[in-house]
Amino acid sequence: MAAFNIAKFLTPPMPNVAAEYDGLEFKWKFLTFRPAYFKNEVYFLAAALLYVAFYFYGKKANERTARKWFEAHRPLYESQFSKPNHTEGLSQDGNSDFFVFSTGRRALTSLHTTFTLRPRHDLFQYLFQLARSLVELDYNVYDEVELEFTFREPVGKEGAVPECVWAVVAKDELKKIRKDRWDVTFTKTTDSTALPSSLAVMSEFADVTTNLLKPYGTFSLPAVLSSPAVQPYFRSLSLTDQPRTRPERPLSPSERTKRLILTLALPPASDAAATVPLVAAAFQLVDVVAGEGRLPGARGGLSAALRPETRTKLRKTREEVERALREDAVREKREEAEEQKAAARKRAQEERLSKLSAAEQKKALEREKKRALRKTQGKVKMR
């Protein structure tokens, strides 16, 4: 009987279907559909259809934007690599991340091209980004493509590619790159008369900047970056031998790589070829740094062009950073060991107290409080 009463409360009430209904009605066998009874459901259905339509439109828009950019740059990739793409088309992870992996070029082991597009397929996330950009004035969200060139020359070898950190960055990108990348903490930020006022240089030493911004035959990096056609899409160009995030311990040379990283804002699909000059300049800069190709003045690479004292300072900086990382790692291990010992002592004390009677436990806790109080008083007197 009780179960019957519970079931009665759980059973939804029957709909009030009046016999004198004179509105639009659809009938099929024993089923009857009267649209006038479904008022709120119409809005729910419209919202669901809008979300689905937005999803498919955003998904196709992202695919089209990434594909158009790569198709516009494919001839340049094919002229530079024996294997410009290891798969047919773009590799995809979700609906806003696309990848291209290229190999087979002098001075390089690989080029990773990574597209990070806005979540056009996700209406709520897209609206959140839009609202955040209206509230936070320094929040700049855009479609991004990053080209990460990995040099063949290993870290730890005295060769053509020096172990240094250097970058040219759009000034409205400085806050973001300082937040996202630990390696740029090696540098100091300055302006350069050779570059537009909208760009800043992040360099460990001026000698590195001088040699990277000077002309090499017909190639001039400042001339490319000063072009009004490419400035809206340029975000940063960096040369680095350090990881993006701070390591917990010193990394061995085999765990680090020398890289040139070009970050661009994606142009619209209708003007996808606008960034071809920037990507072509990045390939030429690779040859300048690695001492490859036929550019005059690039023989021996960037390392040969640096002054001996600059190379010595670069090496000392890395030795100091490795020493600091090693000390931090030792201190963290020591603190972790002390925490484990303290936890073990606490567990042993709790086990000992659990075997005592209530009165003995009370006495033991009072003794522990007095002991802690004496230690605290002793510390105060020493101060």
Side-chain angles (χ1 to χ4, degrees):
M1 190 66 179
F4 176 76
N5 291 333
I6 294 174
K8 184 172 66 174
F9 285 110
L10 294 178
T11 303
M14 293 296 292
N16 183 18
V17 181
E20 58 275 6
Y21 178 79
D22 59 354
L24 182 64
E25 183 178 80
F26 300 96
K27 287 186 176 182
W28 183 72
K29 294 184 179 181
F30 62 90
L31 299 177
T32 302
F33 176 65
R34 295 177 176 178
Y37 289 134
F38 299 90
K39 297 179 180 179
N40 294 332
E41 287 79 0
V42 173
Y43 300 108
F44 296 149
L45 181 60
L49 291 176
L50 175 64
Y51 184 85
V52 172
F54 194 90
Y55 171 84
F56 285 105
Y57 172 79
K59 177 183 177 183
K60 291 298 181 183
N62 279 349
E63 291 175 353
R64 182 174 62 255
T65 300
R67 187 179 66 253
K68 286 286 187 181
W69 188 93
F70 186 65
E71 288 176 354
H73 294 72
R74 182 185 287 273
L76 178 59
Y77 275 60
E78 291 177 344
S79 68
Q80 295 289 332
F81 294 100
S82 60
K83 292 183 178 180
N85 192 2
H86 278 238
T87 60
E88 286 297 327
L90 302 176
S91 300
Q92 187 172 345
D93 182 14
N95 296 310
S96 57
D97 297 316
F98 302 85
F99 311 93
V100 178
F101 182 69
S102 310
T103 58
R105 187 190 188 275
R106 64 179 183 273
L108 296 176
T109 58
S110 64
L111 165 62
H112 287 267
T113 305
T114 305
F115 299 85
T116 305
L117 307 184
R118 297 190 65 182
R120 293 181 175 84
H121 61 287
D122 189 333
L123 177 60
F124 298 113
Q125 191 174 355
Y126 190 83
L127 292 176
F128 171 77
Q129 288 187 347
L130 180 62
R132 184 178 174 184
S133 65
L134 296 176
V135 175
E136 300 180 21
L137 298 180
D138 58 349
Y139 179 70
N140 186 20
V141 59
Y142 54 88
D143 292 329
E144 176 184 291
V145 58
E146 180 184 275
L147 290 79
E148 183 172 340
F149 303 83
T150 303
F151 288 98
R152 190 177 302 277
E153 185 179 287
V155 172
K157 176 184 176 182
E158 288 288 341
V161 184
E163 296 181 19
C164 66
V165 180
W166 177 89
V168 177
V169 186
K171 288 184 177 178
D172 58 352
E173 191 79 3
L174 283 172
K175 184 176 180 180
K176 181 176 182 293
I177 198 171
R178 286 170 177 158
K179 177 182 176 183
D180 295 343
R181 290 180 52 178
W182 171 75
D183 55 339
V184 299
T185 60
F186 284 61
T187 66
K188 296 178 181 179
T189 304
T190 58
D191 290 330
S192 173
T193 56
L195 296 173
S197 59
S198 60
L199 303 180
V201 176
M202 306 181 78
S203 180
E204 294 186 68
F205 299 103
D207 189 20
V208 179
T209 302
T210 300
N211 283 283
L212 285 173
L213 296 185
K214 71 181 183 181
Y216 291 85
T218 58
F219 170 67
S220 172
L221 183 60
V224 176
L225 297 179
S226 299
S227 172
V230 302
Q231 284 185 22
Y233 309 116
F234 176 79
R235 306 314 301 160
S236 67
L237 174 67
S238 57
L239 176 66
T240 181
D241 68 316
Q242 298 296 322
R244 295 172 186 257
T245 57
R246 188 181 188 275
E248 296 180 354
R249 56 174 178 78
L251 300 179
S252 64
S254 61
E255 295 177 294
R256 290 162 46 207
T257 55
K258 301 175 182 178
R259 308 178 311 283
L260 181 73
I261 304 172
L262 173 64
T263 304
L264 305 172
L266 272 176
S270 59
D271 193 23
T275 53
V276 169
L278 281 170
V279 179
F283 281 109
Q284 290 181 295
L285 187 60
V286 166
D287 290 336
V288 168
V289 173
E292 298 284 351
R294 298 179 180 179
L295 290 173
R299 183 181 297 274
L302 177 60
S303 184
L306 299 178
R307 295 194 296 266
E309 55 268 29
T310 301
R311 295 196 295 270
T312 301
K313 291 177 181 178
L314 289 170
R315 185 172 60 254
K316 288 183 177 179
T317 298
R318 275 137 191 81
E319 290 173 354
E320 292 173 359
V321 170
E322 288 182 3
R323 183 165 53 251
L325 290 173
R326 191 176 298 107
E327 291 174 354
D328 289 346
V330 171
R331 183 172 60 254
E332 288 178 3
K333 286 183 178 179
R334 184 169 59 247
E335 291 175 353
E336 184 179 350
E338 291 175 354
E339 290 176 359
Q340 291 177 352
K341 289 180 180 178
R345 286 196 300 269
K346 186 176 180 181
R347 284 195 302 270
Q349 183 181 7
E350 290 175 351
E351 290 177 1
R352 182 175 58 81
L353 288 174
S354 64
K355 298 176 182 179
L356 300 176
S357 64
E360 291 175 334
Q361 288 182 7
K362 185 178 180 180
K363 290 180 180 179
L365 291 174
E366 289 178 354
R367 285 197 301 269
E368 189 65 29
K369 287 181 181 179
K370 291 179 180 178
R371 190 180 298 112
L373 182 61
R374 285 197 298 270
K375 288 183 178 179
T376 304
Q377 291 175 346
K379 290 181 179 178
V380 172
K381 290 179 180 179
M382 289 178 65
R383 291 176 183 175

